[in-house]
Amino acid sequence: MVHSAYDSFELLRGCPTKIDAVASYASKLFVGCSDGALRVYAAESDRSSSSSDYLGQAQELRKEGYALERTVNGYSKKSLLAMEVLASRELLLSLSESIAFHRLPNLETFAVITKAKGANVYSWDDRRGYLCFARQKRVCIIRHDGRGFVEVKEFGVPDTVKSMSWCGENICLGIKKEYVILNATSGALSEVFPSGRLAPPLVVPLPSGELLLGKIRSLRVPYPMIQTIVLQNVRRLVQSNNAVIVALDNSVHGLFPVPVGAQIVQLTASGNFEEALALCKLLPPEDASLRAAKEGSIHIRYAHHLFDNGSYEEAMEHFLAAQVDITYVLSMYPSIVLPKTTLLPETDKLVDSDPDAVHLSRGSSGASDDMDPSSASHFGDFDEHSALESKKMSHNTLMALIKYLQKRRYNIIEKATAEGTEEVVLGAVGDNYGHYDSSRGRGNVAINSGAREMAAILDTALLQALLLTGQSSASVELLRGHNYCDLKICEESLQKRHHYSALLELYRSNAMHREALKLLHQLVEESSSGKSEVTHKFKPEDILEYLKPLCGKDPMLVLEFSMIILDRCPTQTIELFLSGNIPADMVNSYLKQHAPNMQGRYLELMLAMNESAISGNLQNEMVQIYLSEVLDLHAELSDQNKWDEKAHYPTRKKLLSALEGISGYNPEALLKRLPPDALYEERAVLLGKMNQHELALSLYVHKLHLPDLALCYCDRVYESATHQPSTTKSGSIYLTLLQIYLNPSKTTKNFEKRITNIVASRSTSIPKVSSASGTKTKGGRGAKKIAAIEVADDLRVSPSGTDSSRSDGDTDEISPEDSSTIMLDEVLDLLSKRWDRINGAQALRLLPRQTNLQNLMPFLGPLLRKSSEANRNLSVIKSLRQSENLQVKDELYKYRKTVVKISGDSMCSLCHKKIGTSVFAVYPNGKTLVHFVCFRDSQSMKAVTKSTTTTLRKW
């Protein structure tokens, strides 16, 4: 026997005749005997009450002895087959030779169904008052209408009915060895399933309205025997309102259910926890608190039972169902170190009996910050508990713990986050609830709330369990997300087991970036030297990845630790500065102090991304760095007599590119650093930036002897002026170069002194090249001058002439002694290549008189063709404009000739009134008339015509 579900009690004994049927009414027992008599028994405590006081007596069977109250002889002529009390109608239904109804409690005959003579089975539908019974192969249905019984239907069936029961509006019948459904309206039969080969069909109605149909089949576990009650010669089993009535030959027993609470205690004590939990569901709803307490206690006992027997995951499921604090479960794992807590242990208040059921011990569950590391690392190494510890700390127990903690984590973390948010809000509105500084990191915050304490305990335990089971990747994921891991305990645990990736995430989650970067630097150094104790190799790129999110938060920390890997990963490090939006001035200053060799590289990349992103000071500093590199190279090669002024070394090429492409530097400061006898090309570019074009071109021509570079310089100046809308296009820069070719002695005289004076005075007062537009002429005057060259080759511009205002294009007449030094070939080459950019009249005035016109054909030919073509184009344009003017005039005359006749019947197209003598307007079609006032007030309206543009004439 597992437990006692029913208590057997003998209600009466010594019945004079054999008992055939039994029923209960309130606290009375009706016993039908084989001699046809009906004996009524009452509890001995009720015998003093009158028979008319039934309602005042108990309405259920008593668990006490019963005595005969009265005997109704001749109740039936034959032995009773069945008997049932219809409590809602105060009737007693009995089946003998027929079906009879007697009133209660006095047993007067109410009705006898004579048609039921020979019936062997019946079923009563108390809700509708319908009775069905089976007689031989017929099924009859009658209805109680309150006064009597009325026959409703009668149907034939294939065989004798062995059992029957109402099933809603239909009837379930057990016939032969099968079940069928009889439609109570049409009599149609529907098969259900066979009852089996051996047992007869058995139909039992349930209180829920369902039917229980018997089918014999093999029984397998789990179908345990609950209880065995030994009673001999049982003749009837009847369900009463509060007990099961068992009729024997001459006695009646009552099987009274044991209270559910008592059964639960029995099952729990015997270790049948599943049955005990199932019975808890039967506790009444009003005892919800009692039910929850009992279920929690059973779950805890069951969990300990499963844990001790190796079913760790199932044990954790029951701990979860019991809703115990995680500290209760973690107390079973002494080797897991937990942070100090102010929470009260719940071991005593969760278990209500049998203290041996919970064998918990934690030597030191509250590991403080000043705990002895050695004691923590060897926690649980006690000889007397070594076997138990080995079992509890096995892989399976820890895996079960991990799953349990992960299931509890979401709600606990959610509550902890809500508490932290609420505390911050309260602090913001000035409430004195303590200050929570989330920026300091969770490990440094004094936890003073239950939810956050619990979250810290959970995450700290979960991390240790993951480490003990070798789930390093899962521990990293835990620390990478929002967590409340205790810094001190987790740091020691991770260091001891060399889980450095997780340790880095622990530092990161607590905003301990300096400690993380120091550790990462150490790991990178060990990995590069081959002395690392961990399998994972750390690279300098890992430091870069760690620094990326910190650029906006702590740029100085980023700069400090980026210097460590700058030599190994220069490009990636500088890209980090650029992508992290660290102020350029800050980066440049830091590089200048700690890594000057990388300063130029940084500024290069910064400039390549966006020239306007860096200030003029940084641009100037970058050019200064390039110049220093070139000067060092010049000094080195000059000492070796290997310096070539025309050679473009890589560093020099970089400097020239910067000088030409950057506009934010200070050319005067750079010019001071140049040596007097070298770097002429750099000097020329700088002079050009200062608008000293004559000096710059003189360097190209007379120092470098590179006319091609001089021409390229002129092209750059010309094109830059062309792209500036406010600057008039000018070819005077070419005239300046032409003067240098024609008068070399003048341009080279005091050349170095002039440059020195410019740098010393920081002045830009040297005459600049003016626009060639200053020589504009009216009409074809310029063309006449060019044509006059053919007939007067000795023409010269006099200083008193109209075009001799000493512009940049003007020059003194070349003396005979200088004519031998004229660079005529370069002059002719310049004129032939850039004829379209040079003012022809000014160029011709500059040429010496001995110049052969035949040599000027490459210059004059295309120039004259262009001039002639321009004249032709202007003539055509003039003719077209004159023709267009004539057309407009002709159209104007046409419109002015239009005649409009106004009569007395002329109507306004807008207001539909007569025009009369009012001022009117006419649409261009010459027909539509409107009042001028109407047109003015409704300009948005359209007249009859579809014209979109109207011209009105006022008459």
Side-chain angles (χ1 to χ4, degrees), residues 383-618:
D383 295 338
E384 61 272 17
H385 296 296
S386 59
L388 182 62
E389 287 302 309
S390 176
K391 175 182 178 182
K392 288 189 175 181
M393 295 307 296
S394 67
H395 184 272
N396 292 338
T397 60
L398 291 170
M399 289 299 296
L401 177 64
I402 290 172
K403 293 181 180 179
Y404 167 77
L405 293 176
Q406 287 173 340
K407 291 178 180 178
R408 293 293 307 272
R409 188 172 189 271
Y410 176 79
N411 289 331
I412 293 177
I413 296 297
E414 188 177 36
K415 291 179 182 178
T417 304
E419 277 190 358
T421 303
E422 182 180 3
E423 189 171 306
V424 172
V425 172
L426 291 176
V429 298
D431 209 331
N432 264 337
Y433 281 81
H435 180 63
Y436 178 78
D437 186 4
S438 59
S439 65
R440 294 173 53 198
R442 291 175 291 277
N444 297 329
V445 175
I447 299 175
N448 53 10
S449 69
R452 276 177 284 169
E453 279 194 49
M454 194 64 68
I457 292 172
L458 187 148
D459 280 351
T460 304
L462 179 58
L463 178 64
Q464 294 178 74
L466 291 171
L467 295 176
L468 290 170
T469 53
Q471 301 183 61
S472 57
S473 59
S475 63
V476 171
E477 289 300 321
L478 171 65
L479 293 168
R480 190 168 290 166
H482 184 65
N483 67 87
Y484 288 83
C485 290
D486 183 87
L487 176 62
K488 180 71 174 180
I489 297 174
C490 295
E491 182 182 26
E492 292 181 359
S493 180
L494 292 169
Q495 287 176 345
K496 182 176 70 173
R497 295 176 177 85
H498 306 296
H499 288 290
Y500 296 114
S501 297
L503 183 57
L504 289 171
E505 293 299 332
L506 176 67
Y507 288 147
R508 190 201 302 266
S509 65
N510 286 276
M512 299 173 61
H513 303 300
R514 183 173 295 277
E515 289 77 5
L517 289 168
K518 288 181 179 178
L519 173 62
L520 193 53
H521 178 221
Q522 176 185 346
L523 295 172
V524 169
E525 293 298 327
E526 292 178 356
S527 298
S528 60
S529 62
K531 299 179 180 180
S532 177
E533 299 179 3
V534 295
T535 56
H536 176 72
K537 298 298 181 182
F538 291 88
K539 300 176 293 184
E541 288 78 3
D542 296 330
I543 299 180
L544 287 174
E545 289 298 321
Y546 192 98
L547 290 174
K548 282 182 180 179
L550 301 179
C551 291
K553 302 175 182 178
D554 194 346
M556 290 305 297
L557 184 67
V558 174
L559 292 173
E560 177 184 347
F561 281 91
S562 62
M563 297 300 106
I564 299 173
I565 56 171
L566 188 58
D567 293 337
R568 303 183 188 179
C569 306
T571 304
Q572 297 94 319
T573 306
I574 293 176
E575 288 176 354
L576 171 67
F577 299 151
L578 299 176
S579 62
N581 293 325
I582 302 178
D585 291 331
M586 180 187 295
V587 177
N588 180 67
S589 176
Y590 205 90
L591 290 174
K592 188 174 183 179
Q593 182 178 358
H594 296 89
N597 58 325
M598 296 303 299
Q599 186 183 5
R601 176 63 176 158
Y602 166 72
L603 294 174
E604 280 179 13
L605 294 175
M606 193 73 179
L607 189 67
M609 289 181 60
N610 186 2
E611 180 178 350
S612 60
I614 62 175
S615 62
N617 291 335
L618 292 182

Side-chain angles (χ1 to χ4, degrees), residues 270-291:
S270 61
N272 291 283
F273 303 104
E274 293 286 354
E275 293 292 335
L277 289 172
L279 285 182
C280 287
K281 308 297 182 187
L282 302 179
L283 290 172
E286 56 270 17
D287 295 337
S289 58
L290 175 63
R291 170 180 169 180

Side-chain angles (χ1 to χ4, degrees), residues 268 270-275 277 295-322 328-329 332-333 356-359 388 391-392 394 396-398 400-401 404:
T268 304
S270 61
N272 291 283
F273 303 104
E274 293 286 354
E275 293 292 335
L277 289 172
E295 284 183 338
S297 175
I298 295 170
H299 278 300
I300 294 173
R301 292 175 181 271
Y302 195 14
H304 282 287
H305 172 77
L306 293 170
F307 193 88
D308 292 338
N309 288 277
S311 300
Y312 307 113
E313 291 192 15
E314 295 180 30
M316 293 303 161
E317 290 295 331
H318 286 280
F319 279 129
L320 189 65
Y328 182 84
V329 178
M332 303 172 64
Y333 294 82
D356 294 335
V358 184
H359 41 278
L388 182 62
K391 175 182 178 182
K392 288 189 175 181
S394 67
N396 292 338
T397 60
L398 291 170
L401 177 64
Y404 167 77

Side-chain angles (χ1 to χ4, degrees), residues 923 925 928 942-950:
Y923 278 86
N925 59 3
T928 305
K942 290 185 178 181
V944 178
T945 61
K946 297 181 181 180
S947 176
T948 58
T949 305
T950 61

